Amino acid sequence: GEGMQELGQEGQQAGQKASVSMRGLGGALGAVVKAAAAAAAAVAAVGAAVVQMAARNDEIAKMAAVLGTSAEELQILTGALGMGGVAAEQATQAIRDLNLRLGEASLGSGAASEALQRLGLSAEQVERLPLAERFALIADRLQGLESQSLRAKTAADLMGESGIALLAAFQSGGEGIRQ
């Protein structure tokens, strides 16, 4: 009997140890499952960000093609103007308007033709320049005008209402864009 009782106690102790081990294993497995779920969520978030970035890059490339420039040039200019406090949408609209108005001015019509004359420029001269340098040159020349109201009128004649918003970014002339 005593041997059987000892054997029974040893079995009971072994069972308790196994139970403690199983609880520990269960906790560890739960932590692994939680970590796997967190990793899956992180991978999904990265995937969504990549898709969003690709869509934004595609949008920039399409806009650049419409504007007759490269995506890189467009990003450089909108980034430079953004540092001057201009929203990307305003910058893009000003670029569109300038392109349209340069076309009108090259035909000798529109308010942009007179605006370019005030700046001592021609439509052909400005059109030959890379996009960022167009805006840098206009910013330089706007600084030479005698009043803020004339600068605003000239900017609006060249770039529409968005051109007025660009005046803040043009305060230091074209250097802010060239840097």
Side-chain angles (χ1 to χ4, degrees):
E2 213 175 287
M4 285 299 270
Q5 201 172 20
E6 253 181 64
L7 191 57
Q9 285 176 348
E10 285 177 17
Q12 193 175 15
Q13 287 173 352
Q16 287 172 348
K17 286 180 183 176
S19 179
V20 168
S21 290
M22 289 304 286
R23 279 195 298 265
L25 181 60
L29 285 175
V32 167
V33 167
K34 286 178 186 174
V43 167
V46 168
V50 167
V51 168
Q52 187 177 23
M53 189 173 14
R56 176 77 178 130
N57 287 343
D58 184 53
E59 181 183 315
I60 290 168
K62 286 176 182 172
M63 179 60 61
V66 166
L67 297 172
T69 190
S70 70
E72 181 182 10
E73 183 95 24
L74 180 59
Q75 286 180 308
I76 289 169
L77 180 58
T78 55
L81 293 173
M83 291 176 73
V86 178
E89 296 79 26
Q90 287 178 314
T92 303
Q93 187 61 50
I95 295 165
R96 280 189 199 128
D97 289 346
L98 179 63
N99 277 356
L100 176 68
R101 291 183 169 112
L102 283 175
E104 291 172 353
S106 68
L107 297 173
S109 66
S113 183
E114 292 174 21
L116 288 170
Q117 286 175 5
R118 283 193 295 275
L119 298 176
L121 298 169
S122 71
E124 293 76 24
Q125 192 180 3
V126 175
E127 284 179 316
R128 281 194 297 264
L129 298 172
L131 185 62
E133 186 54 33
R134 286 180 195 179
F135 280 82
L137 179 60
I138 290 168
D140 286 339
R141 298 294 176 94
L142 282 170
Q143 295 309 304
L145 297 177
E146 57 271 6
S147 71
Q148 184 63 21
S149 59
L150 189 55
R151 284 190 283 277
K153 166 85 172 117
T154 303
D157 287 347
L158 289 171
M159 299 169 275
E161 284 186 35
S162 295
I164 296 169
L166 269 59
L167 287 176
F170 289 170
Q171 290 298 319
S172 61
E175 284 311 303
I177 295 169
R178 288 185 186 102
Q179 291 176 355

Coordinates of all heavy atoms in Angstrom, one line a residue, residues 5 11 14 16 43 45 49-50 58 63-64 71 77 82-84 94 115 149 155 164:
Q5 N 0.7 4.4 -2.6 CA 0.3 5.8 -2.2 C 1.4 6.8 -2.7 O 1.1 7.8 -3.2 CB 0.2 5.8 -0.7 CG -0.6 7.0 -0.2 CD -0.8 6.9 1.3 OE1 -0.1 6.2 2.0 NE2 -1.8 7.5 1.8
G11 N 2.3 10.8 -9.1 CA 1.4 11.0 -10.3 C 0.6 12.3 -10.2 O 0.5 13.1 -11.1
A14 N 3.0 15.2 -10.7 CA 3.3 15.3 -12.1 C 2.2 15.9 -12.9 O 2.3 16.7 -13.8 CB 3.7 13.9 -12.7
Q16 N 0.0 18.0 -11.7 CA -0.1 19.4 -11.4 C 1.0 20.2 -12.2 O 0.7 21.3 -12.7 CB 0.1 19.6 -9.9 CG -1.1 19.2 -9.1 CD -0.8 19.3 -7.5 OE1 0.4 19.4 -7.1 NE2 -1.9 19.1 -6.8
V43 N 1.4 44.7 -41.6 CA 1.6 44.4 -43.1 C 0.5 44.9 -43.9 O 0.7 45.5 -45.0 CB 1.7 42.8 -43.3 CG1 1.7 42.5 -44.8 CG2 3.1 42.4 -42.7
A45 N -1.4 47.5 -43.2 CA -1.3 49.0 -43.1 C -0.2 49.4 -44.1 O -0.3 50.4 -44.9 CB -1.0 49.5 -41.7
A49 N -0.6 51.7 -47.5 CA 0.2 52.9 -47.7 C 0.9 52.9 -49.0 O 1.0 53.9 -49.7 CB 1.2 53.1 -46.6
V50 N 1.4 51.7 -49.4 CA 2.1 51.5 -50.7 C 1.1 51.8 -51.8 O 1.4 52.5 -52.8 CB 2.7 50.1 -50.8 CG1 3.1 49.8 -52.2 CG2 3.9 50.0 -49.8
D58 N 1.0 58.1 -59.5 CA 0.3 58.1 -60.7 C -0.4 59.4 -61.0 O -0.3 59.9 -62.2 CB -0.7 56.9 -60.8 CG -1.4 56.7 -62.1 OD1 -0.6 56.6 -63.1 OD2 -2.6 56.7 -62.2
M63 N -0.6 64.5 -64.0 CA -0.7 65.9 -64.0 C 0.6 66.5 -64.7 O 0.4 67.5 -65.4 CB -0.7 66.4 -62.5 CG -0.7 67.9 -62.4 SD -2.1 68.7 -63.2 CE -3.5 68.0 -62.3
A64 N 1.7 65.9 -64.4 CA 2.9 66.4 -65.1 C 2.8 66.3 -66.6 O 3.2 67.2 -67.3 CB 4.2 65.6 -64.6
A71 N 7.3 64.5 -63.7 CA 6.8 64.3 -62.4 C 7.8 64.9 -61.3 O 7.4 65.6 -60.4 CB 6.5 62.9 -62.1
L77 N 8.8 71.7 -57.7 CA 8.1 73.1 -57.7 C 7.0 73.1 -56.6 O 7.0 74.1 -55.8 CB 7.6 73.4 -59.0 CG 6.9 74.8 -59.1 CD1 7.8 75.9 -58.7 CD2 6.3 75.1 -60.5
G82 N 5.3 74.9 -51.5 CA 4.7 74.4 -50.2 C 5.5 75.0 -49.0 O 4.9 75.4 -48.0
M83 N 6.8 75.0 -49.2 CA 7.7 75.6 -48.1 C 7.4 77.0 -47.9 O 7.6 77.6 -46.9 CB 9.1 75.3 -48.4 CG 9.5 73.8 -48.3 SD 11.2 73.4 -48.7 CE 12.0 74.1 -47.3
G84 N 6.9 77.7 -49.0 CA 6.5 79.1 -48.9 C 5.1 79.3 -48.4 O 4.6 80.4 -48.5
A94 N -2.1 77.2 -60.3 CA -1.3 78.3 -60.8 C -0.5 77.8 -62.0 O -0.3 78.6 -63.0 CB -0.4 78.9 -59.7
A115 N 1.0 91.5 -68.8 CA 1.7 91.1 -67.6 C 3.1 90.8 -67.9 O 4.0 91.2 -67.1 CB 1.0 90.0 -66.8
S149 N 0.2 96.0 -55.0 CA -1.1 95.9 -55.8 C -0.7 95.5 -57.3 O -1.4 94.7 -57.9 CB -1.9 97.1 -55.7 OG -1.2 98.3 -56.2
A155 N 0.5 88.9 -61.0 CA 0.5 87.5 -60.7 C -0.9 86.9 -61.1 O -1.0 85.8 -61.7 CB 0.7 87.3 -59.2
I164 N -2.1 84.9 -56.9 CA -2.1 85.8 -55.8 C -1.6 85.1 -54.5 O -0.8 85.6 -53.7 CB -3.5 86.5 -55.6 CG1 -3.8 87.4 -56.8 CG2 -3.5 87.3 -54.3 CD1 -5.2 87.9 -56.8

